């Protein structure tokens, strides 16, 4: 059996308070902006922590090669979530995707064939405002001329 993953890029232009055909609230503009900001917050804070850790290693005479992988970033994300309660407002897959993107950026940087630059901080100014979520338990549906995201996520 062949498994096919399908990615769909969608632009959403919601009004202030839309409802779907079942009467459930569709995610508002504020919720989308919140997810974008939290995505950027997690990425930047994890990158800053890694940079600080690398500078500490150099300061004490060690090699500055830090392995950035899922387990190390999961620890950082748990620390951030414990310190910042507002991170719970974001979609859980969006939080995880921000750290996956950071890990991918480091993998590209360390791959000599790709010649990528060191990961940089994400800025609000002049940035492409985006975040990614994964369809877990049918929390994202695409219907004719309507896209909605259920607002009662757990994570």
């Amino acid at each position: 059996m062949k498994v096919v993953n399908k990615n769909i890029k969608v632009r959403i232009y919601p009004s202030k308070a839309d409802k779907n055909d079942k009467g459930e609230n569709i995610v508002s503009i504020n919720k989308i902006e919140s997810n974008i900001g939290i995505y950027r917050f997690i990425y930047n804070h994890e990158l800053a922590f890694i940079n600080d850790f690398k500078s500490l290693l150099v300061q004490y005479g060690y090699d500055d090669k830090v392995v950035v992988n899922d387990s190390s970033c999961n620890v950082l994300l748990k620390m951030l979530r414990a310190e910042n309660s507002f991170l719970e407002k974001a979609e859980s897959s969006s939080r995880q995707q921000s750290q996956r993107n950071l890990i991918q950026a480091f993998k590209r940087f360390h791959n000599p064939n790709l010649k990528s630059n060191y990961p940089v901080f994400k800025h609000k100014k002049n940035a492409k405002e985006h975040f990614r979520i994964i369809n877990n338990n049918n929390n994202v549906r695409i219907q004719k001329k309507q896209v909605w995201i259920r607002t009662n996520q757990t994570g």
Side-chain angles (χ1 to χ4, degrees), residues 44-121:
N44 288 343
H45 276 72
E46 287 186 358
L47 180 58
F49 186 88
I50 292 166
N51 290 342
D52 292 343
F53 186 68
K54 286 177 84 167
S55 65
L56 276 175
L57 289 176
V58 170
Q59 181 181 351
Y60 288 103
Y62 294 99
D63 195 14
D64 70 339
K65 292 183 181 173
V66 176
V67 176
V68 180
N69 57 23
D70 284 332
S71 59
S72 62
C73 283
N74 284 338
V75 170
L76 293 175
L77 184 58
K78 284 181 184 178
M79 288 172 27
L80 281 174
R81 287 176 63 193
E83 292 174 5
N84 305 292
S85 61
F86 67 89
L87 294 177
E88 297 302 321
K89 294 178 184 175
E91 171 68 34
S92 62
S93 62
S94 176
R95 291 190 304 252
Q96 294 161 359
Q97 192 63 45
S98 67
Q99 76 180 31
R100 282 188 203 114
N101 288 348
L102 181 62
I103 293 166
Q104 189 65 32
F106 273 102
K107 283 182 182 176
R108 287 184 175 156
F109 172 69
H110 291 297
N111 187 340
N113 297 330
L114 295 178
K115 299 179 183 174
S116 288
N117 294 330
Y118 189 81
V120 295
F121 293 102

Coordinates of all heavy atoms in Angstrom, one line a residue, residues 44-121:
N44 N 12.3 32.2 17.6 CA 13.3 33.1 18.0 C 13.9 32.7 19.3 O 15.1 32.9 19.6 CB 12.7 34.5 18.0 CG 12.5 35.1 16.6 OD1 13.0 34.5 15.6 ND2 11.7 36.1 16.5
H45 N 13.0 32.3 20.3 CA 13.5 32.0 21.6 C 14.4 30.7 21.6 O 15.4 30.7 22.3 CB 12.4 31.9 22.6 CG 12.0 33.3 23.2 ND1 11.3 34.2 22.4 CD2 12.2 33.8 24.4 CE1 11.1 35.3 23.1 NE2 11.7 35.1 24.3
E46 N 14.0 29.8 20.8 CA 14.8 28.6 20.8 C 16.1 28.9 20.1 O 17.2 28.4 20.5 CB 14.0 27.4 20.0 CG 12.9 26.8 20.9 CD 12.3 25.6 20.2 OE1 12.6 25.3 19.1 OE2 11.4 25.1 20.9
L47 N 16.1 29.7 19.0 CA 17.4 30.0 18.4 C 18.3 30.8 19.3 O 19.5 30.6 19.3 CB 17.1 30.8 17.1 CG 18.3 31.3 16.3 CD1 19.1 30.1 15.8 CD2 17.8 32.1 15.0
A48 N 17.7 31.8 20.1 CA 18.5 32.5 21.0 C 19.1 31.6 22.1 O 20.3 31.8 22.5 CB 17.6 33.6 21.7
F49 N 18.4 30.7 22.6 CA 18.9 29.7 23.6 C 20.1 28.9 23.0 O 21.1 28.8 23.6 CB 17.8 28.8 24.1 CG 18.2 27.9 25.2 CD1 18.1 28.3 26.5 CD2 18.8 26.6 24.9 CE1 18.5 27.5 27.5 CE2 19.2 25.8 25.9 CZ 19.1 26.3 27.3
I50 N 19.9 28.5 21.8 CA 21.0 27.7 21.1 C 22.2 28.6 20.9 O 23.4 28.1 21.2 CB 20.5 27.1 19.8 CG1 19.4 26.0 20.0 CG2 21.6 26.6 19.0 CD1 18.6 25.6 18.8
N51 N 22.0 29.8 20.5 CA 23.1 30.7 20.3 C 23.9 31.0 21.6 O 25.1 31.0 21.7 CB 22.7 32.1 19.7 CG 22.3 31.9 18.3 OD1 22.6 30.9 17.6 ND2 21.5 32.9 17.8
D52 N 23.1 31.2 22.7 CA 23.7 31.4 24.0 C 24.5 30.2 24.5 O 25.5 30.3 25.1 CB 22.6 31.8 25.1 CG 22.0 33.2 24.8 OD1 22.6 34.0 24.0 OD2 20.9 33.4 25.4
F53 N 23.9 29.0 24.3 CA 24.6 27.8 24.7 C 25.9 27.6 23.9 O 26.9 27.2 24.5 CB 23.6 26.6 24.5 CG 24.1 25.3 25.0 CD1 24.3 25.1 26.4 CD2 24.5 24.3 24.1 CE1 24.8 23.9 26.8 CE2 25.0 23.1 24.6 CZ 25.2 22.9 26.0
K54 N 25.8 27.9 22.6 CA 27.1 27.8 21.8 C 28.1 28.8 22.3 O 29.3 28.4 22.4 CB 26.8 28.1 20.4 CG 26.0 26.9 19.7 CD 25.7 27.3 18.3 CE 26.9 27.0 17.4 NZ 26.6 27.0 16.0
S55 N 27.7 30.0 22.7 CA 28.7 31.0 23.2 C 29.3 30.5 24.5 O 30.5 30.8 24.8 CB 28.1 32.4 23.2 OG 27.1 32.4 24.2
L56 N 28.5 29.9 25.4 CA 29.0 29.4 26.6 C 30.0 28.3 26.4 O 31.0 28.2 27.1 CB 27.8 28.8 27.5 CG 27.1 29.8 28.3 CD1 25.9 29.2 29.0 CD2 28.0 30.5 29.4
L57 N 29.7 27.4 25.5 CA 30.7 26.3 25.2 C 32.0 26.9 24.7 O 33.1 26.4 25.1 CB 30.1 25.4 24.1 CG 29.0 24.5 24.5 CD1 28.5 23.7 23.3 CD2 29.4 23.5 25.6
V58 N 32.0 27.9 23.9 CA 33.2 28.5 23.4 C 33.9 29.2 24.5 O 35.2 29.2 24.7 CB 32.9 29.5 22.2 CG1 34.1 30.4 21.9 CG2 32.4 28.8 21.0
Q59 N 33.2 29.9 25.4 CA 33.7 30.6 26.5 C 34.5 29.7 27.5 O 35.6 30.1 28.0 CB 32.6 31.3 27.3 CG 33.1 32.1 28.5 CD 31.9 32.8 29.2 OE1 30.8 32.7 28.7 NE2 32.2 33.3 30.4
Y60 N 34.0 28.5 27.6 CA 34.7 27.5 28.5 C 35.6 26.6 27.8 O 36.1 25.5 28.3 CB 33.7 26.7 29.3 CG 33.0 27.6 30.4 CD1 31.8 28.1 30.2 CD2 33.7 27.9 31.5 CE1 31.2 28.9 31.2 CE2 33.1 28.7 32.5 CZ 31.9 29.2 32.3 OH 31.3 30.0 33.3
G61 N 35.9 26.9 26.5 CA 37.0 26.2 25.8 C 36.5 24.9 25.1 O 37.3 24.1 24.7
Y62 N 35.2 24.7 24.9 CA 34.7 23.5 24.2 C 34.4 23.9 22.8 O 34.3 25.0 22.4 CB 33.4 23.0 24.9 CG 33.7 22.5 26.3 CD1 33.4 23.3 27.4 CD2 34.1 21.2 26.4 CE1 33.6 22.8 28.7 CE2 34.3 20.7 27.7 CZ 34.1 21.5 28.8 OH 34.3 21.0 30.1
D63 N 34.3 22.8 22.0 CA 33.9 23.0 20.6 C 32.4 23.5 20.5 O 31.6 23.1 21.3 CB 34.0 21.7 19.8 CG 34.0 21.8 18.3 OD1 34.1 23.0 17.8 OD2 33.8 20.8 17.6
D64 N 32.1 24.4 19.6 CA 30.8 25.0 19.6 C 29.8 24.3 18.7 O 28.8 24.8 18.3 CB 30.8 26.5 19.1 CG 31.2 26.6 17.7 OD1 31.8 25.7 17.1 OD2 30.9 27.7 17.1
K65 N 30.1 23.0 18.4 CA 29.2 22.2 17.6 C 28.0 21.7 18.5 O 28.2 20.8 19.3 CB 29.9 21.0 17.0 CG 30.9 21.5 15.9 CD 31.5 20.4 15.2 CE 32.5 20.9 14.2 NZ 33.3 19.8 13.6
V66 N 26.9 22.2 18.3 CA 25.7 21.8 19.1 C 24.8 21.1 18.2 O 24.5 21.5 17.1 CB 25.0 23.1 19.7 CG1 23.7 22.7 20.4 CG2 25.9 23.9 20.6
V67 N 24.3 19.9 18.7 CA 23.4 19.1 17.9 C 22.0 19.6 18.2 O 21.5 19.6 19.3 CB 23.5 17.6 18.2 CG1 22.5 16.8 17.5 CG2 24.9 17.1 17.9
V68 N 21.3 20.1 17.1 CA 19.9 20.5 17.3 C 19.0 19.5 16.7 O 19.1 19.2 15.5 CB 19.7 21.9 16.6 CG1 18.3 22.4 16.7 CG2 20.7 22.9 17.1
N69 N 18.3 18.8 17.5 CA 17.4 17.7 17.1 C 16.1 17.8 17.8 O 15.8 18.7 18.6 CB 18.1 16.4 17.2 CG 18.5 16.1 18.6 OD1 17.9 16.7 19.6 ND2 19.4 15.2 18.8
D70 N 15.2 16.8 17.5 CA 13.8 16.9 18.1 C 13.9 16.8 19.6 O 13.1 17.6 20.3 CB 13.0 15.7 17.6 CG 12.5 15.9 16.2 OD1 12.3 17.0 15.8 OD2 12.3 14.8 15.5
S71 N 14.7 16.0 20.2 CA 14.7 15.8 21.7 C 15.2 17.1 22.4 O 14.6 17.5 23.4 CB 15.5 14.6 22.1 OG 16.8 14.7 21.7
S72 N 16.2 17.7 21.8 CA 16.7 19.0 22.5 C 15.7 20.1 22.3 O 15.5 20.9 23.3 CB 18.1 19.4 21.9 OG 18.0 19.6 20.5
C73 N 15.1 20.2 21.2 CA 14.1 21.3 21.0 C 12.8 21.0 21.8 O 12.1 21.9 22.2 CB 13.8 21.4 19.5 SG 15.1 22.3 18.6
N74 N 12.4 19.7 22.0 CA 11.3 19.4 22.8 C 11.5 19.9 24.2 O 10.6 20.4 24.9 CB 11.0 17.9 22.8 CG 10.3 17.5 21.5 OD1 9.7 18.3 20.8 ND2 10.4 16.2 21.2
V75 N 12.7 19.7 24.7 CA 13.0 20.2 26.1 C 12.9 21.7 26.1 O 12.3 22.3 27.1 CB 14.4 19.8 26.5 CG1 14.8 20.5 27.8 CG2 14.5 18.3 26.7
L76 N 13.4 22.4 25.1 CA 13.3 23.9 25.1 C 11.8 24.3 25.0 O 11.4 25.3 25.6 CB 14.0 24.4 23.9 CG 15.6 24.3 23.9 CD1 16.2 24.8 22.6 CD2 16.1 25.0 25.1
L77 N 11.0 23.6 24.2 CA 9.6 24.0 24.1 C 8.9 23.8 25.4 O 8.0 24.6 25.7 CB 8.9 23.2 22.9 CG 7.5 23.5 22.6 CD1 7.3 25.0 22.2 CD2 7.0 22.6 21.5
K78 N 9.2 22.7 26.1 CA 8.5 22.5 27.4 C 8.9 23.6 28.4 O 8.1 24.1 29.1 CB 8.9 21.1 28.0 CG 8.2 20.0 27.3 CD 8.6 18.7 27.9 CE 8.0 17.5 27.2 NZ 8.4 16.2 27.7
M79 N 10.2 24.0 28.3 CA 10.6 25.1 29.2 C 9.8 26.4 28.8 O 9.4 27.1 29.7 CB 12.1 25.3 29.1 CG 12.9 24.3 29.7 SD 14.7 24.3 29.5 CE 15.1 26.0 29.2
L80 N 9.7 26.7 27.6 CA 9.0 27.9 27.1 C 7.6 27.9 27.5 O 7.0 28.9 28.0 CB 9.1 28.1 25.6 CG 10.4 28.6 25.1 CD1 10.4 28.6 23.5 CD2 10.6 30.1 25.6
R81 N 6.9 26.7 27.4 CA 5.5 26.6 27.7 C 5.3 26.7 29.2 O 4.3 27.3 29.7 CB 5.0 25.2 27.3 CG 4.8 25.2 25.7 CD 4.3 23.8 25.3 NE 3.0 23.5 25.8 CZ 2.5 22.3 25.8 NH1 3.2 21.3 25.2 NH2 1.3 22.0 26.2
A82 N 6.3 26.3 30.0 CA 6.2 26.4 31.5 C 6.3 27.9 31.9 O 5.6 28.4 32.8 CB 7.2 25.6 32.2
E83 N 7.1 28.6 31.2 CA 7.4 30.0 31.5 C 6.3 31.0 31.0 O 6.1 32.0 31.5 CB 8.8 30.5 31.0 CG 9.9 29.8 31.7 CD 11.2 30.2 31.0 OE1 11.3 31.0 30.1 OE2 12.3 29.6 31.5
N84 N 5.7 30.6 29.8 CA 4.8 31.5 29.1 C 3.5 30.8 28.9 O 3.4 30.0 27.9 CB 5.4 31.9 27.8 CG 6.8 32.6 27.9 OD1 6.9 33.6 28.5 ND2 7.8 31.9 27.5
S85 N 2.5 31.2 29.7 CA 1.2 30.5 29.6 C 0.5 30.8 28.3 O -0.4 30.1 27.9 CB 0.4 30.8 30.8 OG 0.1 32.2 30.9
F86 N 0.8 32.0 27.7 CA 0.1 32.4 26.5 C 0.4 31.4 25.3 O -0.4 31.4 24.3 CB 0.4 33.8 26.1 CG 1.8 34.1 25.7 CD1 2.2 33.9 24.3 CD2 2.7 34.4 26.6 CE1 3.5 34.1 23.9 CE2 4.0 34.7 26.2 CZ 4.4 34.5 24.9
L87 N 1.4 30.6 25.4 CA 1.7 29.7 24.3 C 0.7 28.6 24.2 O 0.6 28.0 23.1 CB 3.1 29.0 24.5 CG 4.3 30.0 24.5 CD1 5.6 29.3 24.8 CD2 4.4 30.6 23.1
E88 N -0.1 28.4 25.2 CA -1.2 27.4 25.2 C -2.3 27.8 24.2 O -3.1 27.0 23.8 CB -1.7 27.1 26.6 CG -0.7 26.5 27.5 CD -0.1 25.2 27.0 OE1 -0.8 24.4 26.5 OE2 1.1 25.1 27.2
K89 N -2.4 29.1 23.9 CA -3.5 29.6 23.0 C -3.2 29.1 21.6 O -4.2 29.1 20.8 CB -3.5 31.1 23.1 CG -4.0 31.6 24.4 CD -4.0 33.1 24.4 CE -4.3 33.7 25.8 NZ -4.2 35.1 25.9
A90 N -2.0 28.8 21.2 CA -1.7 28.4 19.8 C -2.1 27.0 19.6 O -2.1 26.2 20.5 CB -0.2 28.7 19.5
E91 N -2.3 26.7 18.3 CA -2.5 25.3 17.9 C -1.2 24.5 18.2 O -0.1 25.0 17.9 CB -2.8 25.4 16.4 CG -2.8 24.0 15.7 CD -4.0 23.2 16.1 OE1 -5.1 23.7 16.4 OE2 -3.8 22.0 16.2
S92 N -1.4 23.4 18.8 CA -0.2 22.6 19.2 C 0.7 22.2 18.0 O 1.9 22.2 18.1 CB -0.7 21.3 19.9 OG -1.4 20.5 19.1
S93 N 0.1 21.9 16.9 CA 0.9 21.5 15.7 C 1.7 22.7 15.2 O 2.7 22.5 14.6 CB 0.1 20.8 14.6 OG -0.9 21.7 14.1
S94 N 1.1 23.9 15.4 CA 1.8 25.1 15.0 C 3.1 25.3 15.8 O 4.1 25.7 15.3 CB 0.9 26.3 15.0 OG 1.6 27.5 14.7
R95 N 3.0 25.1 17.1 CA 4.1 25.2 18.0 C 5.2 24.2 17.6 O 6.4 24.5 17.6 CB 3.7 24.9 19.5 CG 2.8 26.0 20.1 CD 2.6 25.8 21.5 NE 2.1 24.5 21.9 CZ 0.9 24.2 22.3 NH1 0.0 25.2 22.5 NH2 0.5 23.0 22.7
Q96 N 4.8 23.0 17.3 CA 5.8 21.9 17.0 C 6.4 22.2 15.6 O 7.6 22.0 15.4 CB 5.1 20.6 17.0 CG 4.6 20.1 18.3 CD 3.6 19.0 18.3 OE1 3.2 18.6 17.2 NE2 3.2 18.6 19.4
Q97 N 5.6 22.8 14.7 CA 6.1 23.1 13.4 C 7.2 24.2 13.4 O 8.1 24.1 12.6 CB 5.0 23.5 12.4 CG 5.4 23.6 11.0 CD 5.7 22.2 10.4 OE1 5.1 21.2 10.7 NE2 6.8 22.2 9.7
S98 N 7.1 25.1 14.3 CA 8.1 26.2 14.4 C 9.4 25.6 14.8 O 10.5 26.0 14.2 CB 7.7 27.3 15.4 OG 7.7 26.8 16.7
Q99 N 9.4 24.6 15.7 CA 10.7 24.0 16.1 C 11.2 23.0 15.0 O 12.4 22.9 14.8 CB 10.6 23.3 17.4 CG 9.9 22.0 17.5 CD 9.9 21.5 18.9 OE1 9.9 22.2 19.9 NE2 9.9 20.2 19.0
R100 N 10.3 22.4 14.2 CA 10.7 21.6 13.1 C 11.4 22.4 12.1 O 12.4 22.0 11.4 CB 9.5 20.9 12.5 CG 9.1 19.7 13.3 CD 8.0 18.9 12.5 NE 7.2 18.1 13.4 CZ 5.9 18.3 13.7 NH1 5.3 19.3 13.0 NH2 5.3 17.6 14.5
N101 N 10.9 23.6 11.8 CA 11.6 24.5 10.9 C 12.9 25.0 11.3 O 13.9 25.1 10.5 CB 10.7 25.7 10.6 CG 9.4 25.4 9.8 OD1 9.3 24.3 9.3 ND2 8.5 26.3 9.8
L102 N 13.1 25.2 12.6 CA 14.4 25.5 13.2 C 15.4 24.4 13.0 O 16.5 24.6 12.6 CB 14.3 25.9 14.7 CG 15.6 26.3 15.3 CD1 16.1 27.6 14.7 CD2 15.3 26.6 16.8
I103 N 14.9 23.2 13.3 CA 15.8 22.0 13.1 C 16.2 21.8 11.7 O 17.4 21.6 11.4 CB 15.1 20.7 13.7 CG1 14.9 20.8 15.2 CG2 15.8 19.4 13.3 CD1 13.9 19.8 15.7
Q104 N 15.3 22.0 10.8 CA 15.5 21.9 9.3 C 16.5 23.0 8.9 O 17.4 22.7 8.1 CB 14.2 22.0 8.5 CG 14.4 21.8 7.1 CD 14.8 20.3 6.8 OE1 14.4 19.4 7.5 NE2 15.6 20.1 5.8
A105 N 16.4 24.2 9.5 CA 17.4 25.3 9.1 C 18.8 24.9 9.6 O 19.8 25.1 8.8 CB 16.9 26.6 9.8
F106 N 18.9 24.3 10.7 CA 20.3 23.9 11.2 C 20.8 22.7 10.3 O 22.0 22.6 10.0 CB 20.2 23.5 12.7 CG 20.5 24.6 13.6 CD1 19.4 25.2 14.2 CD2 21.8 25.2 13.7 CE1 19.6 26.3 15.1 CE2 22.0 26.2 14.6 CZ 20.9 26.8 15.2
K107 N 19.9 21.8 9.9 CA 20.3 20.7 9.1 C 20.8 21.2 7.7 O 21.9 20.8 7.2 CB 19.2 19.7 8.8 CG 18.9 18.8 10.0 CD 17.8 17.8 9.7 CE 17.5 16.9 10.9 NZ 16.4 16.0 10.6
R108 N 20.2 22.2 7.2 CA 20.6 22.8 5.9 C 21.9 23.5 6.1 O 22.8 23.5 5.2 CB 19.5 23.8 5.4 CG 18.3 23.1 4.9 CD 17.4 24.1 4.3 NE 16.3 23.4 3.6 CZ 15.1 23.9 3.4 NH1 14.8 25.1 3.8 NH2 14.1 23.2 2.9
F109 N 22.1 24.2 7.2 CA 23.3 24.9 7.5 C 24.5 24.0 7.6 O 25.6 24.2 7.0 CB 23.2 25.7 8.8 CG 24.5 26.4 9.2 CD1 25.0 27.4 8.5 CD2 25.2 25.9 10.3 CE1 26.2 28.0 8.9 CE2 26.4 26.5 10.7 CZ 26.9 27.6 10.0
H110 N 24.3 22.8 8.2 CA 25.4 21.9 8.4 C 25.7 21.0 7.2 O 26.7 20.3 7.1 CB 25.2 21.0 9.6 CG 25.3 21.8 10.9 ND1 26.4 22.4 11.3 CD2 24.4 22.0 11.9 CE1 26.2 23.0 12.5 NE2 25.0 22.8 12.8
N111 N 24.8 21.0 6.2 CA 24.9 20.2 5.0 C 25.8 21.0 4.0 O 25.4 22.1 3.5 CB 23.6 19.9 4.3 CG 23.7 19.0 3.2 OD1 24.7 18.8 2.6 ND2 22.6 18.4 2.8
P112 N 27.0 20.5 3.7 CA 27.9 21.3 2.9 C 27.5 21.4 1.4 O 27.9 22.3 0.7 CB 29.3 20.5 2.9 CG 28.9 19.1 3.4 CD 27.6 19.2 4.2
N113 N 26.6 20.5 1.0 CA 26.1 20.6 -0.4 C 25.1 21.7 -0.6 O 24.9 22.2 -1.7 CB 25.5 19.3 -0.8 CG 26.5 18.1 -0.8 OD1 27.6 18.3 -1.0 ND2 26.0 16.9 -0.5
L114 N 24.4 22.2 0.5 CA 23.4 23.2 0.3 C 23.9 24.6 0.4 O 23.2 25.5 -0.1 CB 22.3 22.9 1.3 CG 21.5 21.6 1.2 CD1 20.5 21.4 2.3 CD2 20.8 21.6 -0.2
K115 N 25.0 24.8 1.1 CA 25.6 26.1 1.3 C 24.6 27.1 1.9 O 24.5 28.3 1.4 CB 26.1 26.6 0.0 CG 27.2 25.8 -0.6 CD 27.7 26.3 -1.9 CE 28.8 25.4 -2.5 NZ 29.2 25.8 -3.8
S116 N 23.8 26.7 2.9 CA 22.8 27.6 3.5 C 23.5 28.5 4.6 O 24.5 28.1 5.2 CB 21.7 26.8 4.2 OG 20.9 26.3 3.2
N117 N 22.9 29.6 4.9 CA 23.4 30.5 5.9 C 23.0 30.0 7.3 O 22.0 29.2 7.4 CB 23.0 31.9 5.7 CG 23.6 32.5 4.5 OD1 24.7 32.2 4.1 ND2 22.8 33.4 3.8
Y118 N 23.6 30.5 8.3 CA 23.2 30.2 9.7 C 21.8 30.7 9.9 O 21.4 31.8 9.4 CB 24.2 30.8 10.7 CG 24.0 30.4 12.1 CD1 24.5 29.2 12.5 CD2 23.3 31.2 13.0 CE1 24.4 28.8 13.8 CE2 23.1 30.8 14.3 CZ 23.6 29.6 14.7 OH 23.5 29.2 16.0
P119 N 20.9 30.0 10.6 CA 19.6 30.4 10.9 C 19.5 31.8 11.5 O 20.3 32.1 12.4 CB 19.0 29.4 11.8 CG 19.8 28.2 11.6 CD 21.2 28.6 11.2
V120 N 18.6 32.6 11.0 CA 18.4 34.0 11.6 C 17.1 34.1 12.2 O 16.2 33.3 12.0 CB 18.6 35.0 10.4 CG1 19.9 35.0 9.8 CG2 17.5 34.8 9.3
F121 N 16.9 35.1 13.0 CA 15.7 35.4 13.7 C 14.6 35.8 12.8 O 14.9 36.5 11.8 CB 15.9 36.5 14.8 CG 16.8 36.1 15.9 CD1 18.1 36.5 16.0 CD2 16.3 35.2 16.9 CE1 18.9 36.1 17.0 CE2 17.1 34.8 18.0 CZ 18.5 35.2 18.0

